[in-house]
Amino acid sequence: MPPTISTVFPTLSGYAFRQGPTSGCTLVPAVRPEQAGPLALRTYFLFLSTTAHLLDSARAMSLLPLSRSILLLGDSITQQGTMAGGYSQVLSQAYIRKLDVVNRGYGGYNSRFLYEVVKQMAVEEGTKGLSKVALVTLFIGANDSTDAVMNPRQHVALPLYKEKVKAILALFPATVAKILIAPPPSQPDRFSKLIGQVSPDRSNEVTKQYADAIVEVGLEIGVPVVNLFTEFTKIPESEWDRLFSDGLHLTAAGYEILSSALASLIKTKYPALDPDALPMVFPDWQSIDLDNIEESLRYKGD
């Protein structure tokens, strides 16, 4: 039985909503009728239209994904990848009606923080009602590589960083395709001035060590790597303003480098997951069998 809603804005309007044990919602006086003013009537009309939604929420309806997914794990550079031209947005467009792109970027996180989240997220393959992960990308290291003294909260020592990267990927079975993304360089002076630091807590010399560590981990466990550090350093540093929005996070031009490298790697390492190789989950409208619409549109699974 849905919970009874008995006191919604009783002191504001003079009335309260109450749901019966079966269905419907009634407006009942919370104070004497002669004390209720015009505000009660306005409140009634304002909230009556949302009552059905409120009650449906109490019943906790769920939505089946009906699609496999691409899971993007990372920090704020992944989180902001939903912007126009961001790699999350570009992948979502490329895989529309084929795979769901799930952005799980967490601003400010390092590999230690991210591991604690992902180990709650990844459940046994084949769990009923959940989306099966077809591909997971891991893009972490921009915060891990900050200075240990200046930024002890975000810094993660290199050996532990490698350990956590491997531990995150180990949460996913061998059947799941995996891609590592090495952190790019940054513009430390530009970013530190923006956030009011006296001096930068990061350097490209150190970030490169973390990028190299990702390459090493990839070779060790057999996971392909997009080396974004190398890709960015192919461009003259004098042109980096167009790649970074603030010295650390990426512009659409910066994300384009990542998106292109990812698309190329997927095509060569995981050709079955290339968007051009995947069918739509549900058929094109012109292919629907009008004599048997229900069967024609029945979800067939992966």
Side-chain angles (χ1 to χ4, degrees), residues 173-197:
T175 53
V176 175
K178 304 172 183 71
I179 294 176
L180 281 166
I181 302 171
S186 63
Q187 297 174 302
D189 289 331
R190 179 184 174 192
F191 184 68
S192 65
K193 289 177 182 177
L194 180 71
I195 63 175
Q197 285 181 332

Side-chain angles (χ1 to χ4, degrees), residues 241-296:
D241 279 356
R242 68 182 179 85
L243 304 181
F244 296 99
S245 61
D246 56 9
L248 177 63
H249 303 98
L250 307 184
T251 62
Y255 279 119
E256 198 278 329
I257 296 173
L258 173 55
S259 300
S260 296
L262 269 176
S264 177
L265 190 144
I266 291 170
K267 189 181 291 289
T268 56
K269 297 295 184 180
Y270 303 114
L273 293 178
D274 184 86
D276 293 335
L278 292 169
M280 290 191 293
V281 174
F282 290 99
D284 181 87
W285 66 276
Q286 297 179 86
S287 302
I288 297 171
D289 182 358
L290 297 182
D291 294 324
N292 197 352
I293 294 176
E294 182 178 1
E295 182 60 31
S296 183

Side-chain angles (χ1 to χ4, degrees), residues 5-8 10 13-18 25-31 44:
I5 302 172
S6 58
T7 52
V8 178
S13 65
Y15 281 77
F17 287 111
R18 178 170 291 122
C25 185
T26 57
L27 189 70
V28 296
V31 297
Y44 170 74

Side-chain angles (χ1 to χ4, degrees), residues 26 43 59 74-75 100 114 122 133 140 198 241 247-249 254 275 288:
T26 57
T43 304
R59 295 185 179 98
D75 50 34
D100 288 338
L114 186 61
V133 178
I140 197 77
V198 176
D241 279 356
L248 177 63
H249 303 98
I288 297 171

Side-chain angles (χ1 to χ4, degrees), residues 23 40 44-45 55 65 69-70 79-80 132 141 146-147 179 199 210 217 225 236-237 274 302:
S23 62
Y44 170 74
F45 286 114
L55 299 181
S69 59
I70 295 175
Q79 181 177 318
Q80 295 184 22
K132 180 180 178 182
T146 53
D147 186 82
I179 294 176
S199 59
Y210 285 72
V217 169
V225 175
E237 195 168 341
D274 184 86
D302 300 325

